[in-house]
């Protein structure tokens, strides 16, 4: 399989496994969607790590496969391509991308689908589609400007240039840079800590933030208000407040 889902201690690792560069061909895209939906459904998966291995995250689409596709073929495929990445972005649980080596084109777009990105010092990210006479097609023109702002996103998209880990951090494209050998360990630790948190409240927080970014503030505030009030009906809210009153902040243990 080109993508695998491995689950341990509440953390599901979506592991890309298509050597040597984890090129995201059609089969890999479809498998990614299938496993993202599985991670969404599974109650034993409370947080997710996206990982490509020690050497490379994902170097982009399978260019040889795309070269053989004409306009009609891509019209039929483009929606499925986006749907695969959207399935990752809509996992209603904390998702962290563990980025080593190249994360280019579709690889960068996959990292953009995460809530948080931890990159190795050897990471190189970019949207080089313009160098092929194309534009990003798996969400890059939408998720990248929402993350780092339109002018910085346009610079990367218009030029197709790669950025190293330190510049990616300065741009806000990644959130933390660590030694390459520690990327997965630190990403898993981030996910494992959140996997111990209140699952429904984390889901609510993610939905409120993401919805707010995609709509006007009044609609976002309505989503926030409804979730905030709704969480008062949960056992986790009772457990969290009781622990706060009896033991002090930060000591609640959630199921």
């Amino acid at each position: 399989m080109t993508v695998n889902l491995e689950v341990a201690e509440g953390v599901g690792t979506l592991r890309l496994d298509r050597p040597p560069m984890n090129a995201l061909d059609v089969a890999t895209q479809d498998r990614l969607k299938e496993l993202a939906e599985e991670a969404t459904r599974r109650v034993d998966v409370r947080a997710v790590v996206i990982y490509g291995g020690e050497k490379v995250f994902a170097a982009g689409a399978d260019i040889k496969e795309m070269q053989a596709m004409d306009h009609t073929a891509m019209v039929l495929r483009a929606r499925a391509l986006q749907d695969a990445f959207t399935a990752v972005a809509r996992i209603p649980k904390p998702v962290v991308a563990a980025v080593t080596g190249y994360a280019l084109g579709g690889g960068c777009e996959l990292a953009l689908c995460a809530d948080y990105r931890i990159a190795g010092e050897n990471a190189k990210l970019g949207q080089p589609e313009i160098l092929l006479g194309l534009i990003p097609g798996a969400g890059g023109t939408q998720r990248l400007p929402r993350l780092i702002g339109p002018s910085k996103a346009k610079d990367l998209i218009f030029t197709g240039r790669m950025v190293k880990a330190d510049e990616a951090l300065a741009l806000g494209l990644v959130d933390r840079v660590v030694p390459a050998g520690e990327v997965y360990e630190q990403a898993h630790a981030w996910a494992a800590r959140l996997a111990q948190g209140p699952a429904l409240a984390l889901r609510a927080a993610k939905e409120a933030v993401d919805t707010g970014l995609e709509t006007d503030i009044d609609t976002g505030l309505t989503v926030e208000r409804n979730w905030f009030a709704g969480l008062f009906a949960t056992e986790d809210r009772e457990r969290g407040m009781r622990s706060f009153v009896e033991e002090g902040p930060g000591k609640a243990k959630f199921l």
Side-chain angles (χ1 to χ4, degrees), residues 9-126:
E9 299 178 350
V11 177
T13 298
L14 282 172
R15 172 71 154 85
L16 302 174
D17 188 17
R18 189 170 184 248
M21 300 300 286
N22 289 334
L24 300 167
D25 64 348
V26 166
T28 302
Q29 295 163 26
D30 290 344
R31 178 67 173 164
L32 183 64
K33 181 175 185 290
E34 176 187 344
L35 291 181
E37 291 172 344
E38 180 180 336
T40 293
R41 292 191 306 269
R42 287 179 58 167
V43 296
D44 61 330
V45 175
R46 296 171 65 98
V48 173
V49 178
I50 310 171
Y51 182 52
E54 297 178 355
K55 295 182 178 180
V56 63
F57 185 70
D62 188 320
I63 304 302
K64 291 182 179 179
E65 182 183 65
M66 285 206 307
Q67 185 182 22
M69 301 175 76
D70 60 13
H71 172 255
T72 300
M74 188 50 75
V75 166
L76 296 174
R77 181 63 203 174
R79 181 58 182 267
L81 166 63
Q82 289 187 345
D83 286 349
F85 285 66
T86 297
V88 176
R90 291 184 178 169
I91 294 172
K93 304 164 186 182
V95 177
V96 55
V99 180
T100 55
Y102 292 112
L104 302 175
C108 186
E109 289 170 303
L110 181 57
L112 291 172
C113 293
D115 302 304
Y116 195 77
R117 282 153 289 277
I118 297 176
E121 293 172 340
N122 66 341
K124 294 182 179 180
L125 299 92

Side-chain angles (χ1 to χ4, degrees), residues 119 123 125 148 163-175 177:
L125 299 92
I148 67 173
V163 296
K164 295 181 180 180
D166 56 349
E167 184 177 359
L169 181 63
L171 288 169
L173 181 51
V174 301
D175 302 290
V177 175

Side-chain angles (χ1 to χ4, degrees), residues 102-232:
Y102 292 112
L104 302 175
C108 186
E109 289 170 303
L110 181 57
L112 291 172
C113 293
D115 302 304
Y116 195 77
R117 282 153 289 277
I118 297 176
E121 293 172 340
N122 66 341
K124 294 182 179 180
L125 299 92
Q127 298 289 169
E129 290 87 350
I130 202 76
L131 305 178
L132 301 174
L134 296 170
I135 66 170
T141 66
Q142 302 305 304
R143 294 191 178 97
L144 186 58
R146 283 173 167 81
L147 181 65
I148 67 173
S151 61
K152 294 175 183 176
K154 286 175 182 176
D155 172 48
L156 296 184
I157 293 169
F158 290 178
T159 65
R161 70 185 183 90
M162 291 187 296
V163 296
K164 295 181 180 180
D166 56 349
E167 184 177 359
L169 181 63
L171 288 169
L173 181 51
V174 301
D175 302 290
R176 192 191 311 171
V177 175
V178 302
E182 298 178 13
V183 171
Y184 181 74
E185 178 185 355
Q186 293 209 26
H188 193 277
W190 184 91
R193 178 170 62 86
L194 293 176
Q196 300 301 312
L200 193 57
L202 285 165
R203 177 176 185 147
K206 180 167 181 172
E207 182 174 319
V209 171
D210 289 351
T211 301
L213 289 172
E214 296 168 1
T215 187
D216 62 275
I217 191 168
D218 287 339
T219 301
L221 287 169
T222 298
V223 172
E224 178 186 85
R225 182 172 66 250
N226 290 339
W227 265 118
F228 177 71
L231 288 169
F232 273 74

